[in-house]
Amino acid sequence: MADEENGNNIPSEGTSNVVEVTDLSGLSGELIEEKIDALIEAHAVLIFSKTWCPFCRDVKNLLAEQIGVRVYALEVNTHPDGAAIFKYVSSKYEHHTVPVVFIKGKYVGGCDDTKALYKSGELELVLLKGLVMRKQTKNIDTLETAELVPKERSTAMNPPLWFPNHVNNLVVRMVGLQVFCMSAISAAFYYEVWGRYLAVGLLVDFGIRLCAGSSLSPLGMNATFIASFFKPDFRPGPPKQFAAFCGLFFSFLGTLFYFVDFEGHDIVGAIWMGMLAFAAGLEGFLDFCLGCLFFGFGIQFGLIPDSVYRIYTASRQEIVEAWDYKFSDSNAQVPIRVDTNPESAVALKYQKKTDEWTKDDFDVIRH
């Protein structure tokens, strides 16, 4: 594997160990697809990314700064052929978001996949073996003899108020379906008093979810109960909080125009509720979040700091593993009954229980 620097490849700003790939002319092949395949093979560590993407920046920081390998990055949002390049990569590897990470010509995945490999040790000890230009951050022997590299930590921030960093996307979608039904009914029956008060209920629920997520919201609690029967799909919280703010804004205007007094005011209120139903329907039925889309634009144009994702990307793998451990069957050994003196009716009798058995044990009445 060549991993050669081209004269037109330049270090990315702020990360001296990251080199931006700008020129594909020296690669073999006539078609752009052939050149991309050659590019992947030519560099030991290659990332297809976007300059503004916080997840791309996290992966670059992990590989280049924390681990210490030379990273080559092709920014698909600034490269002249970026759209065609990303279309080919996403189609071939069925990976439709950035970053897309390749190590030694092998497809690794995205941000979450890379961080999961890092946590397990496979990233440094297997995939990047022989490429690390500084002492390993993970040691294959003992923690006591490991020489850890100080990590440069960028600013991290929690969502405002009490909104969680991680949300279950199944809950979000089920809330969206409820909002779709309620706002559509409110828009259809705008001339009824109860139809207008449906908008008031949505306004209150959006306000609760904006502050604390689904934990205190009636719609959120309904959705959480239904989603509890399925494995969660964890997503970052900040864009969903922004989506809740958008829902609060729409429901507020719908409620306002329902109760102010001018000719056609109720029609205007119904239009706002209809737009809310449309957005909620996209979320619930198609898993497409309009609020998240505009939140991404805010990050892209520098209006929102990308550090809002820092806690999510750093802790998602731990959250997933904790859920898997808690709700997976450990197949633990049945407790062993111990009778200290079988000949005595009052002798101490107890059970030896493992932590795994205690975790798995469940009884509808006792628990």
Side-chain angles (χ1 to χ4, degrees):
M1 187 165 295
D3 205 16
E4 297 175 352
E5 290 193 38
N6 186 295
N8 292 322
N9 295 342
I10 57 176
S12 296
E13 182 180 353
T15 49
S16 58
N17 231 12
V18 178
V19 179
E20 182 180 352
V21 178
T22 58
D23 185 15
L24 305 180
S25 61
L27 297 168
S28 60
E30 297 294 330
L31 301 176
I32 190 68
E33 293 84 357
E34 296 173 341
K35 290 183 176 294
I36 293 305
D37 289 337
L39 179 70
I40 293 172
E41 290 296 328
H43 296 91
V45 181
L46 176 68
I47 300 176
F48 294 94
S49 69
K50 294 182 179 179
T51 53
W52 53 266
C53 173
F55 299 101
C56 298
R57 292 179 181 177
D58 269 7
V59 167
K60 292 174 187 175
N61 178 266
L62 171 66
L63 293 170
E65 304 303 323
Q66 295 185 30
I67 297 178
V69 297
R70 176 61 58 88
V71 175
Y72 290 84
L74 193 151
E75 308 293 352
V76 296
N77 64 313
T78 59
H79 194 279
D81 298 316
I85 291 171
F86 185 64
K87 181 179 180 181
Y88 170 68
V89 172
S90 61
S91 175
K92 181 175 180 178
Y93 297 96
E94 297 184 351
H95 190 112
H96 304 290
T97 59
V98 290
V100 189
V101 181
F102 294 86
I103 297 178
K104 298 180 180 178
K106 178 183 176 182
Y107 166 73
V108 172
C111 179
D112 291 338
D113 303 308
T114 306
K115 291 202 168 188
L117 290 170
Y118 173 68
K119 184 174 181 181
S120 70
E122 183 180 352
L123 184 64
E124 288 182 78
L125 303 178
V126 180
L127 296 179
L128 295 175
K129 188 175 182 180
L131 299 177
V132 180
M133 296 182 291
R134 60 168 58 161
K135 293 180 179 179
Q136 291 181 177
T137 60
K138 292 185 180 291
N139 189 283
I140 59 175
D141 298 322
T142 63
L143 183 62
E144 288 76 20
T145 60
E147 299 184 47
L148 302 178
V149 176
K151 296 183 178 180
E152 300 175 7
R153 296 187 178 272
S154 60
T155 303
M157 57 187 300
N158 286 300
L161 303 174
W162 304 275
F163 202 89
N165 280 291
H166 307 77
V167 297
N168 183 353
N169 193 51
L170 298 180
V171 174
V172 173
R173 293 186 65 181
M174 290 176 189
V175 169
L177 292 175
Q178 295 176 83
V179 173
F180 167 78
C181 293
M182 293 179 65
S183 53
I185 292 172
S186 177
F189 294 91
Y190 66 90
Y191 48 85
E192 299 284 356
V193 173
W194 59 265
R196 300 178 184 182
Y197 275 98
L198 272 180
V200 176
L202 283 173
L203 175 62
V204 173
D205 196 82
F206 271 116
I208 295 174
R209 278 188 283 121
L210 176 67
C211 295
S214 62
S215 58
L216 300 178
S217 154
L219 297 185
M221 287 188 280
N222 290 339
T224 300
F225 173 75
I226 298 172
S228 64
F229 295 97
F230 306 93
K231 184 174 182 177
D233 175 20
F234 293 109
R235 301 282 179 88
K240 298 302 182 182
Q241 186 181 36
F242 181 77
F245 170 77
C246 295
L248 179 72
F249 178 74
F250 275 65
S251 57
F252 170 75
L253 289 177
T255 302
L256 177 66
F257 285 110
Y258 273 160
F259 291 98
V260 295
D261 188 15
F262 64 87
E263 186 177 356
H265 67 93
D266 46 1
I267 302 294
V268 177
I271 292 173
W272 281 105
M273 297 309 295
M275 290 191 289
L276 177 59
F278 174 75
L282 289 177
E283 177 81 79
F285 292 108
L286 302 178
D287 194 18
F288 180 80
C289 177
L290 275 176
C292 302
L293 177 66
F294 286 100
F295 188 85
F297 288 149
I299 292 179
Q300 182 175 352
F301 296 114
L303 302 176
I304 301 173
D306 65 359
S307 55
V308 296
Y309 287 115
R310 179 67 63 178
I311 296 177
Y312 168 79
T313 58
S315 58
R316 182 185 186 278
Q317 186 63 28
E318 182 179 351
I319 297 293
V320 172
E321 291 178 356
W323 190 93
D324 287 339
Y325 172 76
K326 183 177 181 180
F327 292 99
S328 61
D329 189 354
S330 303
N331 296 317
Q333 181 182 0
V334 176
I336 301 174
R337 297 181 178 274
V338 178
D339 189 345
T340 57
N341 187 357
E343 298 179 356
S344 173
V346 296
L348 178 64
K349 299 176 177 63
Y350 63 94
Q351 291 180 327
K352 289 183 178 180
K353 301 178 182 179
T354 63
D355 292 339
E356 287 75 15
W357 187 89
T358 303
K359 174 183 75 70
D360 294 343
D361 183 33
F362 178 77
D363 184 273
V364 176
I365 297 177
R366 290 189 292 113
H367 300 146

